[in-house]
DNA sequence: GCGGATCAC
DNA sequence: TATGGTGATCCGC
């Protein structure tokens, strides 16, 4: 294949753009599956990663996505340049006080670190692919990838051809023409994860789930209780998991979650690695580790650190006098912790984790037609409503996100006077920003809409929830959408259906319309819509009937609500 | 409080 | 045939 001068220049080995092409997975995980079989990073590895980068580059160079990435990369480069310049100035000044301070912090961290715990990190390598391969033996010997438009996971045969998680499937197929694509089956993966949880419970009921395919356990207690060694415990845990689910997991054992996680990557996809909890051994283990492998150090920070001469964890120490000035207090301390191999030892039990936000964002075929955009927004809002309902929460801060087809995104966050949860409320608060943003970019189209609610409050005792329950009771309604027909059910092609600003133009069935109106008016005067003349009103908190008088009923509600609040905290 | 970025999976 | 979705956190206003 003849290389054009253009692409040769654009994609020099080591160029930052090349790095971002090969993808997060390849950099972070060290080209697993490709050079794992080789003893060292020899020339063929470089050739292989160059081939991947070149293929991705050729497929992407004309896309809007590419120009956006280029722009982003340029911004990071400028950040790095500024950093280098600031470091140069620092080098000219007297940095002894910063050096002393850094050493004090190091001493403090050393003093306080806890090496008494046995933390285990369980990692299901290429989880989706493992599950699919287990369920479908026909996939065993063919290259395949799980994913929709982007590869979520692929097996080792596919990886050898350069297929990677995060790659666009069209590109992956270019690299591996006989790649089989499997649609993800999330319910099934959740099921398998639940089985894994069941197996872990025996060893530590306080285990922590992290993402869809990772977990931490603290087996210290189990070990002392049964007089067993961590290594043996993890062996039987992995055996249990394999027996229950049929899939293999990797495990890392160390003094804290940071080290355990790094340890588990040492023996992927199947095996276990224990890092002894002795300071000298930990320091030796960390010493030459590229900082990029550490959780919390991503593409951007890695490049910033590299620009000032920090590639490995040991380099952090030699540059410690500059870090506070360059990165601020928080990052400074984090980096020193990395250097020392410090990390969290307390797990957050999965059951006790409370969500802080609920969000939906969706990418669709780009469009600038206001009615389609509006309809997409409606769908997104409905899905957020459903999610909030599941959590039994309402949110007081709303964030709306719009991404245009140049991949630039804009967001607006608003603190609302009160927590909301209905699709209608969310939609009404989101729409103005979406409309304004789209209108301000007349030559672009919208490709994504997102809605997030934060500052979640329990709906348990909020008025709107209470009245929603009343509404449900009085209409015997199922959980039908408040906003009418879902897009996929629309009989007419997109665009034909004209939806105005006014929600009344939604075609709603009589019953839905009623519920719709009821919900709407509940915002303004909740009582009005449910008041049945000369009938008692049932208080949704205490479930007692009350006289049909708004003022009296409001007073009663106030008392009832404060009572239940008091009960909650006493 | 807000908007943008970053990070992980 | 063409670059995802969810949740969290931090920084600098």
């Amino acid at each position: 294949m003849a290389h054009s001068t253009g692409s040769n220049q654009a994609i020099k080995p080591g160029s930052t753009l090349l790095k971002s092409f090969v993808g997060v997975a390849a950099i972070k995980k060290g080209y697993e599956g490709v050079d794992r079989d080789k003893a060292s990073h020899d020339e063929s590895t470089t050739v292989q990663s160059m081939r991947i980068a070149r293929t991705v580059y050729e497929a992407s160079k004309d896309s809007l996505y590419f120009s956006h990435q280029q722009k982003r990369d340029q911004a990071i480069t400028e950040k790095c340049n500024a950093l280098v310049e600031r470091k140069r100035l620092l080098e000219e000044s007297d940095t002894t006080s910063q050096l002393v301070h850094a050493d004090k912090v190091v001493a403090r961290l050393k003093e306080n670190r806890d090496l008494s715990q046995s933390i285990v990190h369980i990692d299901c390598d290429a989880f989706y692919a493992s599950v699919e391969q287990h369920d479908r033996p026909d996939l065993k010997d063919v290259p395949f990838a799980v994913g929709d438009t982007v590869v979520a996971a692929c097996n080792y045969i596919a990886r050898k051809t350069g297929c990677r998680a995060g790659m666009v499937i069209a590109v992956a197929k270019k690299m591996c023409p006989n790649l089989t694509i499997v649609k993800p089956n999330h319910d099934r993966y959740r099921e398998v994860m639940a089985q894994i949880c069941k197996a872990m419970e025996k060893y530590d009921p306080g285990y922590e789930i992290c993402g869809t395919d990772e977990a931490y356990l603290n087996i210290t207690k189990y070990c002392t209780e049964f007089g067993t060694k961590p290594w043996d415990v993890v062996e039987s845990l992995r055996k249990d998991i394999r027996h229950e689910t049929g899939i293999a997991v990797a495990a890392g054992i160390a003094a804290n979650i940071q080290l355990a996680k790094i340890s588990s990557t040492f023996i992927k996809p199947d095996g276990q690695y224990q890092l002894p909890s002795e300071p000298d051994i930990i320091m030796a283990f960390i010493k030459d580790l590229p900082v990029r492998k550490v959780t919390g150090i991503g593409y951007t920070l890695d490049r910033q650190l590299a620009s000032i001469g920090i590639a490995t964890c040991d380099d952090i120490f030699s540059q410690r006098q500059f870090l506070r000035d360059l990165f601020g207090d928080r990052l400074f301390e984090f980096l020193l912790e990395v250097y020392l191999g410090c990390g969290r030892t307390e797990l957050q039990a999965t059951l006790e984790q409370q969500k802080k936000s609920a969000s939906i964002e969706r990418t669709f075929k780009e469009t600038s037609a206001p009615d389609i955009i509006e309809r997409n927004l409606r769908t997104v809002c409905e899905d957020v409503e459903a999610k909030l309902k599941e959590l039994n929460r309402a949110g007081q801060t709303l964030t709306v996100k719009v991404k245009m087809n140049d991949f630039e995104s804009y967001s607006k966050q608003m603190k609302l006077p009160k927590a909301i949860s209905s699709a209608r409320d969310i939609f009404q608060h989101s729409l103005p920003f979406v409309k304004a943003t789209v209108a301000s970019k007349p030559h672009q189209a919208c490709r994504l809409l997102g809605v997030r609610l934060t500052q979640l409050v329990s709906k348990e005792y909020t008025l709107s929830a209470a009245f929603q329950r009343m509404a449900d009771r009085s209409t015997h309604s199922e959980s039908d959408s408040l906003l009418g027909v879902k897009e996929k059910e629309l009989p007419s092609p997109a665009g034909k259906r004209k939806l105005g600003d006014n929600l009344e133009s939604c075609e709603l069935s009589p019953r839905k319309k009623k519920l719709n109106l009821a919900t709407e008016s509940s915002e303004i005067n909740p009582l009005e819509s449910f008041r049945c003349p000369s009938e008692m009103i049932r208080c949704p908190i205490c479930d007692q009937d009350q006289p049909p008088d708004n003022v009296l009923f409001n007073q009663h509600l106030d008392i009832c609500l404060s009572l239940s609040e008091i009960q909650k905290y006493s």
Side-chain angles (χ1 to χ4, degrees), chain A residues 64-69 71 366 402-410 441 444-447:
Chain A
L64 286 166
Y65 177 75
F66 176 78
S67 2
H68 180 256
Q69 285 299 109
K71 209 168 136 192
E366 63 181 53
V402 177
K403 182 149 77 177
M404 306 303 284
N405 60 347
D406 63 354
F407 289 89
E408 205 66 51
S409 47
Y410 309 88
K441 313 272 164 201
Q444 280 164 31
C446 176
R447 80 186 322 273

Side-chain angles (χ1 to χ4, degrees), chain A residues 178-426:
Chain A
N178 56 343
L179 187 70
T180 301
I181 305 298
V182 179
K183 291 261 179 266
N185 184 355
H186 293 284
D187 288 341
R188 173 69 183 133
Y189 310 143
R190 265 190 289 272
E191 190 181 301
V192 175
M193 195 57 200
Q195 288 176 314
I196 293 176
C197 289
K198 217 176 91 191
M200 292 190 303
E201 197 142 353
K202 178 170 139 198
Y203 301 93
D204 176 20
Y207 65 85
E208 174 175 334
I209 301 266
C210 178
T212 49
D213 63 342
E214 286 182 36
Y216 294 99
L217 294 87
N218 185 340
I219 54 168
T220 316
K221 213 167 146 193
Y222 185 92
C223 287
T224 50
E225 201 165 311
F226 293 92
T228 45
K229 292 201 178 312
W231 180 268
D232 299 331
V233 172
V234 172
E235 254 184 356
S236 54
L237 166 62
R238 288 178 48 243
K239 202 187 286 172
D240 290 354
I241 292 174
R242 179 159 226 163
H243 183 256
E244 286 294 318
T245 67
I247 71 163
V249 299
I253 312 163
N256 59 53
I257 66 170
Q258 289 270 4
L259 294 173
K261 187 172 166 93
I262 297 168
S263 298
S264 76
T265 66
F266 262 56
I267 32 66
K268 271 181 156 185
D270 180 14
Q272 57 189 65
Y273 182 94
Q274 180 169 17
L275 175 65
S277 296
E278 291 163 39
D280 291 348
I281 299 181
I282 293 173
M283 293 300 280
F285 176 79
I286 283 284
K287 191 172 164 295
D288 296 319
L289 191 76
V291 287
R292 184 66 175 89
K293 301 249 181 194
V294 175
T295 310
I297 299 181
Y299 176 77
T300 307
L301 184 54
D302 180 49
R303 273 196 52 197
Q304 288 180 307
L305 291 170
S307 74
I308 58 162
I310 296 178
T312 67
C313 293
D314 220 31
D315 295 334
I316 294 171
F317 187 70
S318 54
Q319 308 267 3
R320 64 194 183 288
Q321 68 270 41
F322 305 117
L323 300 179
R324 193 149 87 118
D325 285 317
L326 294 178
F327 295 109
D329 262 326
R330 248 184 135 105
L331 207 45
F332 163 72
E333 194 146 324
F334 169 72
L335 289 170
L336 289 182
E337 282 175 7
V338 169
Y339 159 70
L340 286 170
C342 299
R344 191 156 62 94
T345 54
E346 308 84 25
L347 305 188
Q348 202 184 12
T350 305
L351 290 174
E352 292 160 20
Q353 290 175 16
Q354 75 286 38
K355 294 220 167 154
K356 297 182 174 165
S357 75
S359 69
I360 294 283
E361 56 187 58
R362 201 146 290 156
T363 299
F364 43 84
K365 192 166 127 59
E366 63 181 53
T367 177
S368 40
D371 56 337
I372 299 179
I373 290 172
E374 210 176 300
R375 202 169 60 217
N376 288 336
L377 180 63
R378 248 186 260 274
T379 311
V380 167
C381 292
E382 284 171 14
D383 291 350
V384 173
E385 178 193 68
K387 199 171 266 196
L388 286 168
K389 195 171 277 181
E390 200 143 313
L391 295 169
N392 196 28
R393 294 280 191 281
Q396 212 186 340
T397 301
L398 172 69
T399 308
V400 188
K401 176 173 165 183
V402 177
K403 182 149 77 177
M404 306 303 284
N405 60 347
D406 63 354
F407 289 89
E408 205 66 51
S409 47
Y410 309 88
S411 68
K412 179 157 188 69
Q413 181 182 335
M414 35 205 148
K415 169 110 181 156
L416 305 169
K418 62 174 184 175
I420 60 172
S421 61
S422 74
R424 169 172 290 262
D425 287 344
I426 299 168

